[in-house]
Every structure is written in structure tokens, then in C-alpha cells.
Amino acid sequence: MTHLDILHVGKYATFIGAAYGISVMVFAGMVWTTLAKARRWRKRAQALDAALTGR
Amino acid sequence: MIPAPAFLSNPERFMAFSRWAAPMFGLIAAILGLAGLYLGFSAPDDYQQGATVRIMFIHVPAAWLSMFVYGCLAVASLLSLIFRHALADAAAQAAAPLGAGFTFLALVTGSLWGRPMWGTWWVWDARLTSVLVLFLFYLAYIALRAALDDEAKAARACAILALVGAVNLPVVHYSVVWWNSLHQGASVFRADGPAMPPVFLIPLLLMSLAYMAAFGALWLVSIRGEVWRRRAEAAALRAARS
């Protein structure tokens, strides 16, 4: 079996492609929102801490 | 020796642990996911389902995770309710959107698998309906959290809601046993062993472990974000008072 053969999924390609495509998008969304939220609050907390200790 | 939950209940220790554990889980998820995808697409077509059997490698792990994450949410909520522990509440709060994501994936990929195999996108049978109810519990938890400004009240109300929703977990699991369902019964965790050949079982287990590791990584990062948010709000309060 070649690498191209494994992508041959016949008449159900639409359903399989949609299922994998949506899964990739949802995973990407979860990773992006989780990392962005954590980064945003870390920066905010560090900035406030720095401002408080600098007084 | 300190038990793991007690060890991680200290926010400083948790932050130190999650700093290296989250990327490690992410790396494990990527390696297992790539291996699972390769083996999944290398597997032959199923004699009944044809190529659509490949949807199983993403549908079943998402369905398992939808229940597992709710279990984590319920345990964290119980600990939050009993001990009023902020980190347990943060863990519960961080689990909800991730659980909703996995449940959404289970519903959508199941529908995309059901259409060519069952001839319909959706039926109101026990398994599908109970998973939809699980999804609604996640959404209700997120909505209730967003609706309450008081952190302590929100933690208590959401913990109670999460524990009420936990009643649905055995209903989801046993729905295919208790009622006639279009959905197939258990084919992996059975008393007489898995009812599928290794050529399908191995990629399925690899993908399930990949999903589990991905959840571990995202959950830890999300809890870290929640800890930072609470620190930022506490610092903002101190700044306003001084």
C-alpha cells in the first residue's frame, strides 16, 4: 500500500473528509482559545503584579 | 509520600508541575495521533461499513472523552463543593468548554457516520439523545458560570449543576443495554474481550490515548489560565484599594 492509497476512501469520501475536517477545526479552535486565554491572563497578572510592586 | 491530588492542590506546586506536564502531554498527543491516523488510514475497509469505518477512529475517542471529561468535571465540582478549594473550582471551570468540544465532535462525527450507514443524520434514540443531553449540561454549566459575577456563588451553583448532570453518565453508557437503540452496543470494553480485530482496535486505542493526552495538555493549560485570571483580578482589586 502506498501513501496515496491510504487516502483513497471511495464513495464515502465526503462523509469521511467532513468528519476529519470538522475534528481538525474543533481541535485547532480548542488549542488556540486555550493558549490565547492563558497567555492573555498571564500577561495581565504579571503587569498588575509589576505595577503593584513598583509603587 | 503526598498523594497526587493533595500534591496538586497547592497552586504553586500545580503551576510548577503543569509548566512541564502540559507540553509533555501535548507532544505525546501529537505522536500518538500521527501513529493512530497512519494506522487508521492504512487499515483495510470494513466488510460491512466500507471506508466509513475510518470515522470510528475519531468518533469513538471523542465519545469516550465526552464522558471522561464530564467525570473530571463532576469530581472537581464535588471537591470544590466539599472543600471550597479554588483550584478544584478552576479545574471544573476549565474542563467544561473542553468537554463541550469533545461532545460536539462525538455528535457531529456520529451524524456523519450515521448518514451513510443508517440512512439518517439523526434519530431520537436513547444513546444519541442522552449524549445530546450531556452536551446541553456542558452548555448550561458554561452559561451559568458566565451569568454569575460572584465567584463563590458561581462555584457553588455550577458544582451542584455538574453533580446533577453526572446522573446522565450511566444513562449514556448503558443506554444501548437498557433500551432498543439504532446505535451499536459496546465493542471494546466487554466482559469477553474486544469484538473487533487488531487492525481496527490498535489505531482506535492509539487515537483514544492521543485524545486523552490532548485533553490532559489543554486542561492543564486552561487551569493555568484560570489561576492567572484569578491572580489578575486579585491584583486589580489590591491596586484599586491602594
Side-chain angles (χ1 to χ4, degrees), chain A residues 1-3 5-27 30-46 48-49 51-52 55, chain B residues 37-38 41-43 45 49-52 54-55 57-58 93 97-98 101-102 104-105 108-109 112 115-117 121 207 211 214 218-219 221-222 224-226 228-229 231-233 235-236 238-239 242:
Chain A
M1 178 171 279
T2 68
H3 290 283
D5 286 339
I6 66 173
L7 297 175
H8 181 74
V9 287
K11 60 181 179 178
Y12 299 122
T14 311
F15 299 102
I16 298 167
Y20 277 84
I22 291 168
S23 295
V24 168
M25 283 194 293
V26 170
F27 260 102
M30 288 198 294
V31 169
W32 189 82
T33 53
T34 302
L35 289 176
K37 186 183 168 193
R39 190 177 298 124
R40 187 173 70 244
W41 284 114
R42 179 172 55 81
K43 283 183 178 170
R44 175 97 176 116
Q46 286 173 341
L48 281 164
D49 276 342
L52 279 170
R55 286 187 178 186
Chain B
L37 284 174
Y38 181 77
F41 276 90
S42 303
D45 289 358
Q49 305 188 34
T52 62
R54 285 169 183 82
I55 298 177
F57 305 129
I58 49 173
Q93 190 175 358
L98 299 173
F102 284 116
F104 174 77
L105 280 180
V108 170
T109 55
L112 284 162
R115 182 69 184 89
M117 291 300 102
W121 298 102
M207 289 298 285
Y211 271 52
L218 291 172
W219 197 25
V221 173
S222 194
R224 286 174 66 83
E226 191 54 35
W228 285 118
R229 183 185 71 79
R231 282 186 185 173
E233 288 186 352
R238 283 202 309 277
S242 61

Side-chain angles (χ1 to χ4, degrees), chain B residues 5-18:
Chain B
F7 170 78
L8 293 176
S9 65
N10 179 307
E12 292 306 322
R13 280 198 294 253
F14 171 80
M15 293 302 267
F17 163 78
S18 59

Side-chain angles (χ1 to χ4, degrees), chain B residues 33-99:
Chain B
L34 286 173
L37 284 174
Y38 181 77
L39 291 179
F41 276 90
S42 303
D45 289 358
D46 182 69
Y47 79 107
Q48 281 183 320
Q49 305 188 34
T52 62
V53 73
R54 285 169 183 82
I55 298 177
M56 175 179 73
F57 305 129
I58 49 173
H59 168 71
V60 174
W64 284 346
L65 261 291
S66 69
M67 294 177 65
F68 176 76
V69 176
Y70 201 93
C72 294
L73 171 63
V75 170
S77 296
L78 184 65
L79 294 174
S80 162
L81 207 56
I82 294 172
F83 300 112
R84 306 271 168 100
H85 199 289
L87 201 54
D89 178 50
Q93 190 175 358
L98 299 173

Side-chain angles (χ1 to χ4, degrees), chain B residues 193-213:
Chain B
M196 71 172 71
V199 72
F200 296 135
L201 184 63
I202 291 169
L204 175 60
L205 293 179
L206 283 174
M207 289 298 285
S208 301
L209 290 172
Y211 271 52
M212 187 78 85

